[in-house]
């Protein structure tokens, strides 16, 4: 005779097996009350002999937990002194607040004030020649930056003309100095240069070198070809 098969319930469809083992004897579902397979086989033999009321191990474990008396912590001795901490932990320091970044006008005003204060220290601090350090007028510096901005625009137009010549094999048209877009581009460059160097105050020799260089683009734009009669043939010059 084929032995009856042990079975357990599933948790959801296709889930894992949970709970105690069961067996079906003569159409009756018998709960063996254990999730241990070895113990379930022992109880199966008893079930075949007619036993039905098996103690459920899960219910016994729950009853054992519920019947455990609550353990109270021991009360402190009546004459124990109060606890005193060894040290007091100070509260955390507030986050560092950075000052707001100065604007271009504030930076320029601060630079001018610093330069003026430096001239007053020690009775007008002198340079190597005994004269106070030179200070340029802010209006003159603005004019130099605007001149440099026009030079940048001239250089851009020259580069564009070179690209047109190399790529399209054509000579680019001339953009007059009074063209509206050309003037707008120069003003935009002047504003950007002031943002990049708000405290621009170089020594005189730097301005003496930079100003003629800024005029080089204008020299190239207004240049004219050398007359042919003034050109010397390289072969003739070598023969001479």
């Amino acid at each position: 005779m084929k032995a009856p098969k042990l079975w357990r319930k599933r948790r959801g469809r296709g889930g894992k097996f949970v709970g105690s083992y069961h067996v079906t004897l003569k159409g009756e579902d018998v709960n063996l009350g254990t999730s241990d397979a070895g113990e379930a086989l022992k109880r199966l033999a008893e079930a075949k002999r007619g036993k039905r009321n098996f103690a459920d191990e899960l219910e016994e474990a729950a009853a054992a937990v519920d019947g455990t008396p609550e353990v109270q912590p021991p009360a402190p001795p009546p004459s124990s002194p109060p606890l005193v901490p060894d040290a007091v932990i100070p509260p955390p320091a507030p986050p560092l607040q950075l000052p707001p970044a100065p604007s271009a006008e504030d930076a320029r005003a601060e630079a001018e004030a610093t330069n003026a204060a430096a001239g007053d220290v020690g009775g007008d601090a002198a340079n190597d020649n005994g004269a106070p350090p030179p200070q340029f007028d802010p209006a003159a510096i603005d004019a130099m930056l605007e001149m440099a901005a026009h030079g940048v625009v001239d250089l851009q137009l020259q580069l564009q003309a070179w690209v047109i010549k190399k790529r399209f094999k054509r000579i680019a048209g001339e953009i007059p100095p009074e063209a509206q877009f050309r003037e707008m581009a120069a003003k935009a460059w002047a504003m950007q240069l002031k943002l990049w160097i708000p405290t621009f105050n170089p020594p005189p020799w730097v301005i003496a070198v930079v100003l003629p260089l800024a005029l080089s683009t204008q020299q190239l734009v207004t240049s004219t070809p050398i007359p042919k009669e003034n050109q010397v043939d390289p072969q003739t010059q070598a023969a001479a």
Side-chain angles (χ1 to χ4, degrees), residues 153-164:
V153 174
D154 291 340
L155 181 60
Q156 286 181 283
L157 294 176
Q158 292 178 33
L159 290 176
Q160 292 175 186
W162 180 83
V163 171
I164 292 173

Side-chain angles (χ1 to χ4, degrees), residues 230-240:
N230 294 336
Q231 296 181 0
V232 179
D233 188 359
Q235 296 181 357
T236 304
Q237 185 177 14

